[in-house]
Amino acid sequence: MERRVVVTGMGAVTPLGSTVEDYWNGLKNGECGIDYIQKFDTTDYKVKVAGEVKGFDPELYMTKKDVKRNDLYAVYALAAAVQAFEDSKMNMEKEDATRVGVIVGSGIGGLMTMQEQVIRMHDRGPARVSPLFIPMTIGNMAAGNIAIRLGAKGTCENIVTACATGTNCIGSAFREIKHGYLDACVAGGAEAAVCEIGVAGFTNLTALSTAEDPKDACKPFDKNRDGFVMGDGAGVLILEELEHAKARGAKIYGEIVGYGATGDAYHMTAPSPDGEGAARAMTLAMEEAGIAPEQVAYINAHGTSTHANDAGETAAIKLAFGDAAQQVAISSTKSMTGHLLGAAGAIEAIACIKALEEGFLPATINYHTPDEECDLDYIPNEGRKAEDAQYALSNSLGFGGHNGVLCFKKWSE
């Protein structure tokens, strides 16, 4: 028998704040977390702006030793996981630890550590490379450290699908619980790629915005969009089987009812222009949820603010939704956070859950000039109340043609 899967805890470290409350309030208020890069000197860089995490204190969640022994992406992941686990009020001593899993990924992994240690080897020789270089760099260490910290002994995985990582991790956790392999799972994504090599690499790929005004750099679906803005952070959900959550009196934030994962089989970095792969992922998520396109009130779009993505995603929504595409409300919260790469789908899942819980749909800020290729309802500049909203989709579309879509339902018995 297939089982229902609910969300009982959430944690977030984002450019809008380092808790779910601060992040969600920032989205509701249409705040922009993008600013001039502070981590390094951008004098020689075309790109000057990013969504950096500000005012974050890792020692609220871990020891100094933990911070030193982990790359920043894993520090963000562990912080978000601790937040989410504490929010869920789950007591591992009362759980069968072998039935609690961790599926938390990163699109790139320990990029800052790679950069630092390669420079150290070049300047000072191979003997000076840190003995922790490998464990600090590999992308599975976020999941591993979370499992160690929480004592979770079930499935422990790191799914890597570029910008779809967080969504695919949550989707896989959903299926593990739905089909009976786990009772609960810690799921999400983390990233810390705003560093010299990360910004240089994406800049030379001509993927990033070169806008000088950080507050207007990320403008998804706007005719004058010129590239995405990098962001750092993490998002983590606690997923549980419904009866398991009810038995321990857990607070339920929302329900996951569908998941679609597809491949474009088209190009290394560009999405398929007709949106066929993304459309199929949306359709699969709605079919698993047992709903028609007309029942979806909100789509949190991938909406990166690149020309190809936003046009392709608009085409995909039209393909998946048909006539209902003109009625569904869509927004890209990346306009406020930047693009958190492997963590994007995780923090955007939180946005969907909160949107349904509170009946409020966040906006796409910086929307000034309509584009004839992007002619749907993108909730321009101001969020709106939607108290009757029952279903939401969260889209994530990664380099390599990876498409992941989650379908959420407002919580009701």
Side-chain angles (χ1 to χ4, degrees):
M1 186 181 75
E2 292 184 347
R3 310 183 315 160
R4 292 172 70 182
V5 181
V6 294
V7 178
T8 58
M10 298 187 287
V13 177
T14 80
L16 285 173
S18 297
T19 65
V20 169
E21 183 181 16
D22 286 347
Y23 163 60
W24 175 240
N25 285 337
L27 292 184
K28 284 198 295 185
N29 295 330
E31 296 172 10
C32 184
I34 297 164
D35 213 326
Y36 295 109
I37 293 170
Q38 300 297 314
K39 276 188 182 176
F40 61 91
D41 183 356
T42 61
T43 301
D44 295 331
Y45 286 73
K46 294 177 184 175
V47 171
K48 312 285 187 185
V49 305
E52 294 180 317
V53 172
K54 300 168 280 289
F56 167 67
D57 181 2
E59 290 179 44
L60 293 172
Y61 311 102
M62 65 199 81
T63 66
K64 266 185 184 168
K65 186 178 179 182
D66 288 329
V67 177
K68 285 185 177 180
R69 292 167 68 89
N70 284 286
D71 186 87
L72 189 57
Y73 92 92
V75 170
Y76 289 155
L78 188 56
V82 170
Q83 286 180 32
F85 195 76
E86 290 179 349
D87 183 39
S88 76
K89 297 181 170 58
M90 190 183 294
N91 182 346
M92 196 62 83
E93 291 181 4
K94 296 181 179 179
E95 298 293 332
D96 176 354
T98 67
R99 301 278 302 169
V100 180
V102 181
I103 306 180
V104 175
S106 175
I108 301 178
L111 190 60
M112 290 178 65
T113 299
M114 290 184 213
Q115 173 182 286
E116 290 165 3
Q117 295 299 317
V118 168
I119 291 170
R120 178 182 286 192
M121 183 180 72
H122 180 270
D123 291 348
R124 301 168 69 183
R128 301 308 297 269
V129 171
S130 169
L132 291 173
F133 170 62
I134 298 300
M136 288 177 70
T137 301
I138 50 182
N140 67 303
M141 205 47 67
N145 281 329
I146 291 165
I148 292 165
R149 171 65 176 270
L150 302 180
K153 296 183 178 180
T155 304
C156 188
E157 293 178 344
N158 156 53
I159 294 169
V160 183
T161 48
C163 310
T165 293
T167 294
N168 288 142
C169 287
I170 294 166
S172 290
F174 161 65
R175 294 269 173 83
E176 291 262 342
I177 297 168
K178 177 178 177 176
H179 297 305
Y181 300 105
L182 295 173
D183 294 326
C185 194
V186 184
E191 208 75 81
V194 179
C195 60
E196 290 94 324
I197 191 65
V199 173
F202 278 112
T203 300
N204 293 348
L205 191 60
T206 66
L208 299 185
S209 170
T210 54
E212 293 183 6
D213 179 1
K215 302 306 179 188
D216 192 48
C218 190
K219 36 185 176 282
F221 305 107
D222 186 279
K223 189 176 181 69
N224 297 314
R225 64 192 183 276
D226 72 334
F228 78 82
V229 175
M230 291 176 70
D232 278 351
V236 171
L237 305 180
I238 305 298
L239 307 186
E240 282 188 66
E241 189 270 324
L242 174 59
E243 297 306 319
H244 181 274
K246 286 165 72 174
R248 65 179 191 85
K251 174 180 169 60
I252 295 172
Y253 290 101
E255 183 173 3
I256 302 184
V257 290
Y259 170 51
T262 66
D264 282 348
Y266 174 72
H267 190 270
M268 282 175 66
T269 57
S272 179
D274 61 5
E276 185 274 334
R280 229 167 354 104
M282 285 183 259
T283 298
L284 288 169
M286 290 186 284
E287 285 177 350
E288 185 171 18
I291 61 171
E294 291 78 11
Q295 292 173 266
V296 176
Y298 173 59
I299 300 172
N300 188 295
H302 190 56
T304 59
S305 189
T306 67
H307 176 82
N309 175 90
D310 298 1
E313 189 171 10
T314 298
I317 293 168
K318 290 178 179 178
L319 201 55
F321 277 68
D323 292 341
Q326 298 298 329
Q327 276 70 56
V328 68
I330 304 159
S331 72
S332 171
T333 48
K334 288 183 179 70
S335 58
M336 294 177 264
T337 63
H339 188 355
L340 271 64
L341 309 177
I347 65 165
E348 288 156 15
I350 292 170
C352 287
I353 293 160
K354 294 298 290 182
L356 294 174
E357 183 188 30
E358 296 193 9
F360 183 87
L361 310 182
T364 304
I365 67 168
N366 301 327
Y367 186 86
H368 312 299
T369 309
D371 182 347
E372 54 275 9
E373 286 188 294
C374 302
D375 56 355
L376 300 176
D377 174 11
Y378 305 110
I379 317 181
N381 302 315
E382 286 191 19
R384 64 176 73 136
K385 290 183 179 178
E387 290 169 5
D388 296 332
Q390 294 295 311
Y391 293 94
L393 296 186
S394 181
N395 290 352
S396 295
L397 319 174
F399 280 0
H402 304 281
N403 307 303
V405 176
L406 292 164
C407 183
F408 296 94
K409 184 182 180 185
K410 185 181 178 111
W411 170 242
S412 63
E413 291 281 352

